[in-house]
Amino acid sequence: MSEMFKITLPDGSSREVAPGTTPADIAAAIGPGLAKAAIGARVNGELFDITRPFEGDAALALVTARDEADALELVRHDYAHVLAEAVQALFPGTQITFGPSTDDGFYYDFAPKDRAFTEDDLPAIEEAMRKIIAADKPLRREVWSRADLIARWQAEGETFKAEWAAELPENEELTVYWSGSDWLDMCRGPHLASTGKLDPQAFKLTRVSGAYWRGDQANAMLSRVYGTGWLNKKQLDAHLTRLEEAAKRDHRKLGAEMDLFHLQQEAHGSVFWHPKGFRIYRELEAYMRRAIDGAGYKEVKTPQVMDARQWEQSGHWGKYRENMFVIPDEVPNTEDEGPVISGEADWMALKPMNCPAHVLIFRQGLKSYRELPLRFYENGCCHRNEPHGALHGLMRVRQFTQDDAHIFCREDQIVSEARAFCALADRIYKDFGFTYAIKLALRPEKRFGSEEMWDKAEEELRNAVIEAGLATAEYGWEELPGEGAFYAPKLEWHLTDAIGRTWQVGTLQSDRVLPERLDAAYVGEDGEKHRPVMLHRAIFGSYERFIGILIEHFAGRLPAWLAPVQAVVATIVSDADDYAHEATAALRAAGIRTETDTRNEKINYKVREHSLQKVPYLLVVGKREAEEGTVAIRTLGEQHQKVIPLAETIALLRSEATPPDLRA
């Protein structure tokens, strides 16, 4: 009798099974309901096909649609494969490459034989996908030898797959998945048992774009087809509704309508702030300065350009250089002939971050343990060499300003400083109406520092969150293995906006590496030199991105204290022009950002125009209001208006226009 395997279930019970048994067999043995509901399995914690035989003793947890994260991972992976099969059926000669799942769906990169795909192709591809789903084709895993797999791909003209198969690690098991008996793809899996397990009404192909093979601009241009995939049509419909709402809130569209900013080719990834947009920026800057002044920070300003040797010493030159703008330290050639630069000059770089410069400030003059913690803050302008194709409005730019600070502290001060930062971030995010989740990103595979150092740093941040009372389900507390920076673990604040999207914004990193590399030291109580710990922290992350998030969160209807124009006094008749100017002057004297609209236009036109500009308050005045010293006040988004005395209006608007941290 062959050796039996012991399979342990989540409730602690176990079963002895013969080799060749699958998770599907276990589900069937438990009951027909579970057999029908189970779509995958976690075997020793790893997501597996439900039809893949056990290879030894194992802990088993069956996956159903209730395990939404795992279920979505499975179905989205399947939709990607079905997409690839459908495309090759419709467009013979198309080569396949990669097709991963994404946060809300999937995509697949293709090398078409004759022409790039367009969005006009999507309806036909969708229909072909539904036919494959309806055929309920079994999805079957096989292990192949490298030589056989490469030969298969070469014989079928799949040069991209053959190249990838040849470069996979020698010790890696190469697997394929068959769809029925006539189509296969190289894939690690896992997959559902068959294509019929997918809901044919729960996916939609959304767009087509270009993508370079393996992300390298020197390689072939491919056609990338994107889709969104869900467990059922209800989820898909809800997602499409969210997309429609997101499109209405797109900060690029609203930024143009509200005349806040623009971007153009002459300065890729850099923002041209218009007066109204820069008013929002200035209000945020003033708000943050009040917050950091109250929290004991000292504001500094550091150079934009520093010698490459400084970046080498900090470690950024080796770990981050591809994201830096580097410049030669020489006067360029001004002659028409010859190269602009010699190629022999020393290199300098625009700063991608502020931390090394803050260490250099800390190093000026001997520091005592009594002076710590030292909290240096900078509205620091940084540059990062992002690829053109990755740029996205205010959300991903090349030039940005961080609300950046670095806290130099003693070992015994780390937890209290981190806890104080948690409280500060909590207050600020709540002032803007955000809820958030807090997560701890742990050591990455490539990193500086010892294991002991990482153990200590991770535990300190964990303890700070626990002491702040934030390590709970209410705050979405989670630990993220492998996602820390190369020099430090970090706490991350993920904001949730008005339509349920999350944005990673604030961070706190506990760093012992940079003070060591840049030789930062203070004199301790024992008279000896000690290394400070450096806490890197930001709350907005960058002003540009935070403003983009705010525009989309509020759909352009910013709180009155942030609105570039807080009120407009609009006339119905020219007889009220003088009164309108008097009212505007009184509102401005009270600190309310007010404009006057005395154009010879109908009032409905003025209301519509200022509503599109998202002005919080429209104060309508006519002959009667001028005689009585009143205004008809209309709040953005409301249909009705009320007539109240001008003095009462000023008091109301002054209260609404006061930043939340200055309200009594």
Side-chain angles (χ1 to χ4, degrees):
M1 183 176 178
S2 60
E3 181 183 356
M4 302 289 281
F5 297 152
K6 181 181 179 181
I7 307 301
T8 304
L9 300 174
D11 63 2
S13 64
S14 62
R15 293 172 180 246
E16 298 284 332
V17 301
T21 302
T22 68
D25 295 329
I26 300 283
I30 294 173
L34 184 57
K36 184 178 179 180
I39 58 174
R42 281 205 171 269
V43 178
N44 295 327
E46 185 179 347
L47 196 58
F48 264 44
D49 309 318
I50 198 165
T51 56
R52 181 174 170 181
F54 295 107
E55 297 170 1
D57 294 348
L60 170 67
L62 292 165
V63 173
T64 70
R66 291 184 178 181
D67 305 298
E68 189 167 288
D70 284 344
L72 285 172
E73 175 72 18
L74 286 165
V75 301
R76 287 168 178 166
H77 201 168
D78 280 19
Y79 281 127
H81 273 239
V82 171
L83 165 61
E85 184 178 355
V87 165
Q88 288 200 307
L90 284 174
F91 304 97
T94 297
Q95 293 190 58
I96 54 176
T97 63
F98 294 132
S101 60
T102 65
D103 287 343
D104 62 4
F106 56 93
Y107 69 79
Y108 210 108
D109 289 346
F110 300 98
K113 181 182 178 182
D114 302 315
R115 62 168 176 83
F117 297 143
T118 71
E119 294 186 5
D120 290 340
D121 297 315
L122 299 185
I125 298 172
E126 285 185 352
E127 185 58 32
M129 290 176 67
R130 291 192 175 94
K131 288 179 180 178
I132 293 168
I133 292 170
D136 196 17
K137 302 174 72 172
L139 299 173
R140 180 168 48 87
R141 178 180 183 270
E142 283 185 355
V143 179
W144 282 39
S145 73
R146 183 181 308 273
D148 287 347
L149 189 51
I150 293 172
R152 167 88 182 209
W153 293 136
Q154 289 175 338
E156 295 189 352
E158 297 281 4
T159 59
F160 296 95
K161 285 288 189 183
E163 176 186 325
W164 185 245
E167 294 183 13
L168 288 170
E170 288 291 335
N171 60 349
E172 184 169 333
E173 185 178 66
L174 302 187
T175 56
V176 302
Y177 277 82
W178 285 93
S179 176
S181 58
D182 56 350
W183 190 87
L184 64 80
D185 195 1
M186 181 170 69
C187 179
R188 291 190 180 94
H191 285 279
L192 299 173
S194 69
T195 61
K197 300 295 183 184
L198 296 169
D199 184 336
Q201 302 304 319
F203 79 94
K204 181 176 179 59
L205 301 184
T206 54
R207 61 190 174 96
V208 178
S209 72
Y212 293 106
W213 167 237
R214 302 174 78 168
D216 188 336
Q217 295 182 22
N219 290 338
M221 174 64 78
L222 307 173
S223 285
R224 176 172 293 179
V225 179
Y226 286 92
T228 185
W230 300 85
L231 299 177
N232 52 59
K233 188 175 185 299
K234 182 179 178 182
Q235 287 185 341
L236 172 65
D237 290 343
H239 175 70
L240 295 177
T241 300
R242 285 195 299 272
L243 289 182
E244 289 175 12
E245 183 62 30
K248 295 176 190 173
R249 293 167 178 261
D250 190 313
H251 71 282
R252 296 166 297 180
K253 172 178 172 286
L254 291 171
E257 290 176 357
M258 297 169 66
D259 191 24
L260 303 179
F261 65 89
H262 82 274
L263 300 106
Q264 65 184 67
Q265 220 170 13
E266 285 77 3
H268 277 297
S270 298
V271 184
F272 292 82
W273 289 107
H274 298 191
K276 290 180 180 179
F278 200 57
R279 168 56 69 178
I280 300 171
Y281 188 109
R282 286 177 56 194
E283 290 300 318
L284 287 175
E285 195 174 43
Y287 171 91
M288 185 55 74
R289 278 202 169 96
R290 292 191 298 271
I292 61 111
D293 286 348
Y297 289 80
K298 301 176 186 296
E299 188 166 2
V300 299
K301 194 70 177 173
T302 59
Q304 283 295 108
V305 181
M306 293 200 300
D307 192 289
R309 285 181 285 266
Q310 178 66 34
W311 298 108
E312 288 172 3
Q313 191 176 353
S314 70
H316 292 92
W317 195 253
K319 297 280 187 181
Y320 203 76
R321 188 169 67 244
E322 71 274 14
N323 297 112
M324 297 170 71
F325 288 100
V326 296
I327 52 179
D329 188 10
E330 69 173 318
V331 177
N333 176 27
T334 59
E335 302 298 327
D336 291 337
E337 302 296 327
V340 176
I341 59 173
S342 68
E344 298 174 0
D346 289 336
W347 287 105
M348 304 187 76
L350 284 168
K351 66 176 178 180
M353 51 198 66
N354 305 296
C355 31
H358 288 190
V359 177
L360 298 184
I361 293 177
F362 179 85
R363 284 176 50 188
Q364 294 299 300
L366 201 60
K367 300 294 188 296
S368 164
Y369 71 96
R370 292 188 181 90
E371 298 175 70
L372 304 185
L374 269 176
R375 308 179 187 97
F376 291 151
Y377 175 86
E378 180 173 8
N379 285 316
C381 182
C382 298
H383 292 78
R384 294 183 186 173
N385 195 357
E386 301 281 3
H388 288 191
L391 301 175
H392 180 73
L394 300 178
M395 302 305 193
R396 192 163 185 181
V397 292
R398 287 176 147 190
Q399 176 185 297
F400 55 94
T401 300
Q402 295 178 310
D403 64 309
D404 203 9
H406 296 92
I407 303 169
F408 296 87
C409 61
R410 306 189 307 263
E411 296 274 347
D412 63 300
Q413 296 171 325
I414 296 170
V415 173
S416 60
E417 284 298 307
R419 188 175 65 244
F421 176 74
C422 288
L424 178 64
D426 180 74
R427 190 190 84 212
I428 288 173
Y429 293 141
K430 286 178 178 174
D431 275 351
F432 289 91
F434 285 115
T435 58
Y436 64 83
I438 186 167
K439 304 178 188 297
L440 175 59
L442 305 172
R443 69 197 76 184
E445 185 177 341
K446 294 181 180 180
R447 58 185 179 269
F448 287 145
S450 66
E451 294 304 296
E452 181 183 9
M453 183 212 78
W454 280 88
D455 288 341
K456 195 170 187 180
E458 290 171 354
E459 188 63 20
E460 288 159 349
L461 293 183
R462 187 180 291 114
N463 287 342
V465 178
I466 292 170
E467 290 188 19
L470 302 176
T472 65
E474 178 188 355
Y475 286 95
W477 172 248
E478 184 181 2
E479 299 194 5
L480 307 174
E483 296 192 20
F486 68 85
Y487 53 86
K490 60 179 176 174
L491 293 174
E492 300 177 347
W493 277 257
H494 295 249
L495 306 189
T496 301
D497 71 10
I499 58 173
R501 297 172 300 181
T502 58
W503 307 89
Q504 197 263 296
V505 180
T507 59
L508 176 69
Q509 302 166 17
S510 176
D511 179 12
R512 290 172 170 84
V513 171
L514 205 57
E516 179 70 33
R517 292 183 71 91
L518 297 184
D519 194 29
Y522 68 90
V523 177
E525 195 171 4
D526 58 3
E528 300 294 326
K529 284 191 174 182
H530 299 268
R531 296 282 183 222
V533 176
M534 187 177 182
L535 302 180
H536 307 242
R537 47 114 294 179
I539 295 177
F540 292 161
S542 81
Y543 282 86
E544 288 75 8
R545 187 164 177 266
F546 196 71
I547 290 171
I549 292 169
L550 286 174
I551 291 170
E552 297 199 359
H553 176 59
F554 290 111
R557 298 178 178 184
L558 296 167
W561 72 274
L562 267 181
V565 177
Q566 295 168 323
V568 170
V569 181
T571 55
I572 300 173
V573 293
S574 59
D575 289 352
D577 286 359
D578 289 343
Y579 177 62
H581 289 298
E582 291 172 13
T584 297
L587 287 156
R588 287 176 177 171
I592 299 161
R593 295 188 288 277
T594 311
E595 292 183 353
T596 313
D597 187 349
T598 58
R599 293 173 299 166
N600 185 25
E601 300 284 357
K602 293 185 181 296
I603 191 61
N604 287 342
Y605 176 86
K606 295 180 181 181
V607 169
R608 184 167 58 254
E609 189 170 82
H610 295 301
S611 295
L612 286 174
Q613 288 286 304
K614 307 294 189 285
V615 177
Y617 296 102
L618 185 63
L619 312 179
V620 179
V621 297
K623 188 174 181 181
R624 180 177 177 180
E625 284 79 15
E627 291 171 350
E628 297 178 353
T630 60
V631 300
I633 184 168
R634 180 189 293 260
T635 303
L636 180 64
E638 296 182 4
Q639 297 300 315
H640 64 279
Q641 61 184 33
K642 59 181 178 179
V643 179
I644 58 176
L646 177 60
E648 188 178 330
T649 302
I650 291 172
L652 171 66
L653 268 60
R654 184 161 49 191
S655 173
E656 291 298 314
T658 301
D661 60 312
L662 296 180
R663 293 173 188 168

